[in-house]
Amino acid sequence: MIQKLHNGIRHYLAHQNALVTKLSHQLDKQHPNYQLQRQSQRLDDLDNRLKQSMVRYIANQQQAISRAEHKIQLSSPSKKLAEQRLLLTNSHQKLLDAMDRKLLTTRHQLSLAAEKLETVSPLATLKRGYSITQTQDGQVIDSADKVKTGDQLITRLANGVVRSTVN
């Protein structure tokens, strides 16, 4: 039963870890790298904390199981054995519930971070009708004093680019 518990938890954690990694990669494709790296690091930290908590919880449960087995060996009635099996099942369910809550919290935090990133995204600003005008070498034009007659400019819009010459 302990081995099955370990295998089940490892499988569940591996599955959840793969899911979190997949979500993190999707965000990488949609948002600026700096913000994603920060959020990815935070997610890794939370994941490590979750794993450490699970290891501690499993160790505590193993100790509890060992104590229970010792009592059963001393008194050995079938009623005590059934009670201990129920305790193990409840502990296993509590562990799964705790993992689900932690994963849900982590997903929610990741979702909130993604929403925050979307609000400050340069692409979102362009979609609201703004544009970014640059020189040929990529300098952003933030003042009319930075251009002169004959300069080639590139204006980036939400759905394309406009090239122009200053007259």
Side-chain angles (χ1 to χ4, degrees):
M1 288 175 70
I2 292 171
Q3 186 63 37
K4 284 183 180 180
L5 177 61
H6 284 292
N7 289 341
I9 291 171
R10 282 188 191 111
H11 177 70
Y12 183 79
L13 284 174
H15 176 71
Q16 295 303 319
N17 195 20
L19 183 58
V20 168
T21 301
K22 178 183 174 188
L23 291 172
S24 177
H25 288 299
Q26 288 175 352
L27 282 176
D28 272 339
K29 294 177 184 175
Q30 297 177 10
H31 301 289
N33 284 337
Y34 175 75
Q35 294 294 331
L36 280 178
Q37 287 173 351
R38 274 187 41 210
Q39 293 304 321
S40 179
Q41 181 61 44
R42 178 165 166 76
L43 182 62
D44 288 344
D45 292 342
L46 290 172
D47 187 49
N48 287 335
R49 286 176 41 201
L50 175 63
K51 287 178 183 176
Q52 290 171 356
S53 295
M54 291 298 117
V55 167
R56 283 193 303 273
Y57 186 81
I58 289 170
N60 289 340
Q61 290 302 311
Q62 286 176 332
Q63 290 176 354
I65 291 170
S66 295
R67 286 191 299 270
E69 287 175 344
H70 180 69
K71 286 182 181 180
I72 289 172
Q73 289 175 355
L74 294 176
S75 59
S76 190
S78 60
K79 182 179 178 182
K80 291 280 185 185
L81 182 60
E83 289 174 356
Q84 293 304 318
R85 284 185 180 148
L86 182 60
L87 177 63
L88 178 61
T89 301
N90 289 341
S91 297
H92 181 257
Q93 187 60 46
K94 285 180 184 178
L95 175 62
L96 293 176
D97 292 345
M99 288 172 26
D100 285 342
R101 282 191 304 272
K102 186 63 175 179
L103 184 62
L104 184 62
T105 300
T106 302
R107 282 184 180 158
H108 181 69
Q109 289 171 342
L110 188 60
S111 175
L112 289 176
E115 288 175 19
K116 285 180 183 178
L117 283 175
E118 183 62 31
T119 62
V120 297
S121 169
L123 297 176
T125 303
L126 294 177
K127 287 179 184 175
R128 289 193 303 266
Y130 291 92
S131 65
I132 299 171
T133 301
Q134 299 172 303
T135 62
Q136 288 286 42
D137 59 3
Q139 281 187 321
V140 174
I141 303 298
D142 59 1
S143 169
D145 296 337
K146 290 188 176 181
V147 296
K148 60 183 184 278
T149 302
D151 282 352
Q152 296 287 321
L153 300 179
I154 300 169
T155 302
R156 188 174 307 274
L157 305 168
N159 65 348
V161 172
V162 174
R163 297 183 183 276
S164 57
T165 303
V166 177
N167 292 330

